[in-house]
Amino acid sequence: MSDYKRQHPVSIFVSFFSNVKQLLITGVVLLFFGSSQQRGPWYYLIILIFLLLFSSVSGFLYWLTFRYRLDDRELHVRHGLIFRKKRYIHQDRVQSIDLNAKLIQRMFNLVEVKIETAGGGDEPEFRIIALKREEAEEIRHELLYGMRKSEPDSYEYEGEDGAVYDVGEYQDKETPKPVQYQAKERKEPDHRWKLSGRRLLAAALTSSGIGVAATFVGAAFSQIQQFIPEAWYETALGFVLQSSVRFVISFVILVLLIAWVIRIISTLLKYGNFTIEKTGDEIVISRGLLERRQLTLNRRRITAVRVVQNVLRQPFGLVAVYVESAGGGTKDEDLSTILLPLCRESEIKGHLEALAPEYSFERPMTGLPGKSMFRYMIRLAVPVTAAAALVTYFIDYGAFSFIGLALAAGLGYWQFKDAGIGNNEQFLWMRSRKFARTTVIVPRSRIQTVEITSHPLQRLNGLTTLEVSILTSITGKTFSLQHLGEDQSVSCFRWFSYEESDSRGSDPGGKLN
Amino acid sequence: MGSDTVEYPETDKRPMPDQKISPDALKVWRIGAVIEFLVFALVPMAYWWLSNQVEFLPGWILYLIIAAYLLYGIFNTVLFPKWQWRRWRYKIYENEVELLYGILIVRRVIIPMIRVQHVDTEQGPLLRHYGMASVKITTAATVHEIPALEESKADEVRDHIAKLAREADPDE
């Protein structure tokens, strides 16, 4: 048992800093919402020192008690000071292994290993936060390819076939392993794509999510007033009262501009050096300027492909492509994985051909029945009208807010126009728009359930909502398309039904499953 | 775009599921609703207590709350269970389970046998008292429930689905 290894000591700093980051966030929240004037600064200083001490000690203890050992095709991990925990992660249970290098890890040329295992439980994923890159690569290889690597084809089989095969391999393969490992490593990937600098810039300039950043900037601005000297504040306030509309508009523009710049920078950092490599069924995505992330995705675990075109990208015909997969996926992307941060609409087919060929096909679509247009428009118009009425009642120039009504109705019409659905033997695809236009492509063999729902207003017009659930990383995800004609929904039901269609489409899962 | 639904002929309908759930479900739901009603009585009581403590809380809001409370109680104990029960249908085919339920929002679900991860029957004290159980069908992404069947029927349904799910597996 002596061959258990500890993490690199830098992990103490890593966990210390991540603790401090947590504390900072809490502190900022407290500062914003708490009434901070009542107690003296000493009070906070003592708490701060105590917390810093606490996090450094806990960081140290974590490093001290966390030990791991790589056995063949199995990772043994033990940690915990009082409550000892042992964990064996076997190759067969591993869904994905991602190597990430955050800022601190990068300074010491280390990586964090994130292992995701099958079968939920309370901890579906597992981290070792600081390791030398070579060691991490070794773990990755052992757990992903292990004994199976000498014959790449054997990776195609799973379950009984694979097991039988592996046992055979097991006996005569103790020593030559490192050699094989080296050989495998050198092998060129089948396909490689790099996000060009121009595209990265374009992606940054047109990235969406300004809304979130804007809210944040707006909130920050609203707090700034506390720190501005009283006199300035009064002059500013006088200015506001004199020219309120112009001020409000310029304030909004300023906030949006700042938010945009923040988004640009964060996108550049996130997707800088974006490279995608495919070897066999493994798709490895590396990205990030400051933080290097390396995600591994198995082509056969993809459960859906999403093509997203936000409003800024639409005029240029640019899109981003995401995939949903069972295992893998990052929390900050809603448990999806970004496959292509930016490409032309016309290029999608070619890229998918190289990365996940079964998803590469023409997708003709039928639109929704005309009667659903009204539903789309009214759904957005009603709340806007109510809000505008309120604003008009309370504010001088409030009547201008009725412009919003036209915008809402326009957006509704746009949503209606872009909505569509189509299917072939093996795939269903749905296109819809909230602001961004999203096309989701789901294989029939990956759909868990199909659901038709209808609320009373929809029933008046014979309309329905279609909901399709698939498995993603840990839980399920449901895609829906609103206000389909009932006949369209029912025909989708028939398409999905295993009852009526067993003779047809007998091999959609043959390759996929 | 538009209303050309050539690929979806109107006549291409699929039969609705036709199995009803147990009539006793109504009793259980109503008892549950009455208990909920009693618990929710805390809301008007809390407001009444508060308005005695705090000067400026107007009394008329209390009547509003009570009215809303009573109205909700009537709907929740008398009407909703009835509508709910009337709507509920399920059907177990060879390769899939179909459910149809919901009062305002009507839902119709297909759960293929090959997607069923496991099936359970569950009984709360109320269901047990009336000799009923609910059947819970779990897929990798979703959970579905047939809320009230006679106990023997529930067991039968569970075993039946479990068997079909087992048999369905290998192919796809």
Side-chain angles (χ1 to χ4, degrees):
Chain A
M1 283 292 151
S2 57
D3 54 347
Y4 270 92
K5 282 186 275 190
R6 290 211 170 84
Q7 303 181 79
H8 195 280
V10 168
S11 81
I12 299 173
F13 292 107
V14 177
S15 53
F16 172 70
F17 279 120
S18 79
N19 276 342
V20 168
K21 207 168 96 185
Q22 288 287 328
L23 289 175
L24 272 183
I25 293 169
T26 326
V28 168
V29 169
L30 281 178
L31 210 82
F32 273 5
F33 297 105
S35 50
S36 52
Q37 258 62 41
Q38 283 163 10
R39 294 195 174 90
W42 283 112
Y43 181 77
Y44 288 96
L45 202 63
I46 290 168
I47 290 184
L48 193 70
I49 289 172
F50 176 75
L51 288 175
L52 286 181
L53 216 66
F54 177 75
S55 33
S56 50
V57 168
S58 84
F60 176 72
L61 283 180
Y62 184 73
W63 171 78
L64 195 71
T65 56
F66 188 104
R67 277 169 299 170
Y68 71 95
R69 184 170 67 133
L70 194 59
D71 223 343
D72 34 39
R73 302 190 297 159
E74 199 163 52
L75 183 67
H76 297 199
V77 178
R78 50 208 302 212
H79 64 114
L81 182 67
I82 300 165
F83 296 98
R84 298 273 167 89
K85 224 176 190 178
K86 279 187 194 170
R87 206 158 184 208
Y88 292 1
I89 302 167
H90 191 260
Q91 183 184 48
D92 295 343
R93 291 276 147 269
V94 173
Q95 290 278 353
S96 71
I97 300 178
D98 298 336
L99 306 186
N100 304 324
K102 294 189 175 146
L103 208 50
I104 307 174
Q105 279 103 329
R106 275 197 88 184
M107 287 185 337
F108 296 92
N109 202 18
L110 301 172
V111 290
E112 174 194 87
V113 182
K114 194 179 101 183
I115 302 167
E116 201 155 326
T117 52
D122 52 343
E123 294 168 278
E125 57 176 39
F126 189 83
R127 278 166 207 282
I128 304 177
I129 54 181
L131 274 185
K132 288 219 182 71
R133 180 165 278 281
E134 308 85 67
E135 283 183 76
E137 287 285 355
E138 197 184 332
I139 290 178
R140 193 176 101 88
H141 255 270
E142 188 68 34
L143 291 188
L144 277 186
Y145 309 110
M147 289 297 171
R148 295 186 264 189
K149 65 187 166 292
S150 71
E151 170 63 74
D153 278 350
S154 73
Y155 198 46
E156 289 291 322
Y157 306 118
E158 257 184 341
E160 293 140 50
D161 288 344
V164 169
Y165 187 85
D166 281 345
V167 171
E169 279 277 277
Y170 192 81
Q171 277 133 10
D172 52 71
K173 286 268 321 239
E174 302 274 280
T175 33
K177 195 171 68 185
V179 184
Q180 295 277 354
Y181 166 72
Q182 290 297 339
K184 176 90 182 179
E185 190 73 331
R186 290 285 139 74
K187 200 183 154 200
E188 268 297 294
D190 309 338
H191 174 77
R192 182 203 291 268
W193 181 73
K194 204 168 165 359
L195 186 69
S196 70
R198 271 184 62 206
R199 292 220 164 159
L200 173 63
L201 196 64
L205 290 172
T206 58
S207 78
S208 61
I210 291 180
V212 184
T215 326
F216 196 74
V217 174
F221 264 138
S222 70
Q223 291 299 324
I224 284 178
Q225 50 171 285
Q226 288 181 1
F227 305 104
I228 300 175
E230 202 75 359
W232 291 18
Y233 192 55
E234 254 150 46
T235 349
L237 203 68
F239 175 72
V240 174
L241 292 175
Q242 273 164 23
S243 53
S244 63
V245 172
R246 225 182 308 161
F247 178 79
V248 167
I249 289 175
S250 52
F251 178 76
V252 167
I253 289 176
L254 183 68
V255 166
L256 285 178
L257 212 64
I258 294 176
W260 190 46
V261 170
I262 292 177
R263 278 302 297 183
I264 289 174
I265 294 170
S266 71
T267 311
L268 285 177
L269 293 181
K270 204 163 145 194
Y271 296 140
N273 268 331
F274 188 99
T275 316
I276 191 162
E277 287 179 353
K278 190 187 171 205
T279 315
D281 279 340
E282 294 289 322
I283 300 171
V284 178
I285 299 167
S286 327
R287 65 189 168 100
L289 281 184
L290 286 182
E291 293 184 17
R292 286 300 286 166
R293 286 177 160 267
Q294 194 184 68
L295 290 117
T296 312
L297 182 75
N298 193 308
R299 182 184 66 92
R300 293 170 304 127
R301 295 225 165 88
I302 296 178
T303 52
V305 170
R306 265 188 313 136
V307 179
V308 181
Q309 181 169 58
N310 71 30
V311 181
L312 290 175
R313 281 172 192 169
Q314 186 146 20
F316 308 104
L318 298 170
V319 295
V321 180
Y322 294 81
V323 293
E324 313 290 340
S325 66
T330 51
K331 297 216 167 44
D332 52 323
E333 273 157 7
D334 208 14
L335 295 175
S336 317
T337 304
I338 193 152
L339 196 66
L340 307 166
L342 193 76
C343 74
R344 286 186 197 291
E345 229 173 335
S346 53
E347 294 168 352
I348 301 174
K349 200 160 175 267
H351 280 302
L352 286 178
E353 183 67 50
L355 294 168
E358 63 274 17
Y359 283 88
S360 167
F361 52 82
E362 288 298 322
R363 296 185 297 272
M365 259 181 250
T366 39
L368 305 188
K371 53 195 174 180
S372 83
M373 179 175 84
F374 178 66
R375 280 255 75 80
Y376 271 102
M377 289 168 77
I378 204 91
R379 184 180 55 155
L380 290 171
V382 165
V384 171
T385 310
L390 268 179
V391 170
T392 311
Y393 186 79
F394 286 111
I395 297 177
D396 275 354
Y397 292 99
F400 281 114
S401 58
F402 274 97
I403 296 170
L405 188 59
L407 294 177
L411 179 60
Y413 179 71
W414 206 13
Q415 289 178 337
F416 161 73
K417 218 188 71 176
D418 278 346
I421 186 167
N423 68 278
N424 60 19
E425 290 277 288
Q426 294 167 31
F427 288 88
L428 175 75
W429 51 94
M430 303 191 289
R431 189 170 67 192
S432 61
R433 172 189 294 284
K434 278 205 171 65
F435 288 103
R437 193 181 74 180
T438 303
T439 311
V440 54
I441 311 157
V442 202
R444 178 168 175 268
S445 59
R446 291 307 200 178
I447 298 176
Q448 300 287 333
T449 58
V450 169
E451 197 160 340
I452 302 177
T453 72
S454 62
H455 58 71
L457 291 171
Q458 286 179 317
R459 284 199 289 280
L460 280 180
N461 295 335
L463 295 173
T464 54
T465 296
L466 185 70
E467 293 180 1
V468 173
S469 299
I470 58 158
L471 174 66
T472 57
S473 232
I474 302 163
T475 52
K477 205 175 213 178
T478 301
F479 300 111
S480 64
L481 183 63
Q482 299 213 319
H483 312 320
L484 282 164
E486 205 189 340
D487 43 336
Q488 286 177 308
S489 281
V490 171
S491 114
C492 177
F493 242 44
R494 291 184 59 109
W495 167 81
F496 181 61
S497 172
Y498 285 75
E499 204 50 44
E500 305 166 28
S501 57
D502 243 18
S503 53
R504 171 199 60 82
S506 56
D507 188 46
K511 279 184 226 106
L512 291 166
N513 227 358
Chain B
M1 160 243 118
S3 53
D4 61 323
T5 49
V6 190
E7 289 175 33
Y8 303 98
E10 193 80 45
T11 50
D12 209 16
K13 293 265 182 206
R14 179 192 159 93
M16 290 284 181
D18 55 4
Q19 300 289 309
K20 291 184 184 185
I21 59 170
S22 164
D24 282 341
L26 213 51
K27 287 185 202 158
V28 172
W29 287 345
R30 286 205 165 127
I31 293 170
V34 167
I35 293 171
E36 199 182 297
F37 182 70
L38 294 177
V39 171
F40 275 5
L42 285 173
V43 176
M45 273 150 71
Y47 186 83
W48 177 73
W49 177 80
L50 214 69
S51 64
N52 280 347
Q53 305 293 313
V54 189
E55 287 280 316
F56 56 82
L57 285 178
W60 57 267
I61 291 185
L62 180 62
Y63 296 110
L64 206 69
I65 291 178
I66 290 176
Y69 170 67
L70 290 177
L71 208 66
Y72 170 77
I74 290 167
F75 268 89
N76 203 32
T77 47
V78 183
L79 295 174
F80 285 168
K82 201 158 99 190
W83 295 340
Q84 181 90 300
W85 186 83
R86 224 184 270 161
R87 176 63 50 72
W88 242 109
R89 294 281 190 284
Y90 71 94
K91 172 133 189 172
I92 296 156
Y93 295 93
E94 188 78 11
N95 295 308
E96 63 202 16
V97 182
E98 189 175 347
L99 309 177
L100 175 74
Y101 61 98
I103 305 168
L104 279 180
I105 296 178
V106 179
R107 297 184 169 269
R108 197 177 165 195
V109 196
I110 286 189
I111 311 154
M113 287 303 174
I114 55 165
R115 299 282 164 252
V116 174
Q117 299 250 318
H118 51 262
V119 214
D120 311 310
T121 44
E122 280 181 13
Q123 264 182 328
L126 275 178
L127 281 177
R128 182 161 42 217
H129 182 259
Y130 286 97
M132 288 188 295
S134 62
V135 179
K136 226 176 206 163
I137 306 165
T138 310
T139 72
T142 52
V143 183
H144 307 271
E145 194 181 26
I146 305 173
L149 296 175
E150 286 83 22
E151 222 168 332
S152 55
K153 178 84 182 161
D155 289 343
E156 189 187 311
V157 165
R158 180 197 59 208
D159 295 342
H160 187 54
I161 293 178
K163 179 166 162 282
L164 290 173
R166 236 184 355 257
E167 285 169 358
D169 225 353
D171 228 306
E172 215 152 327

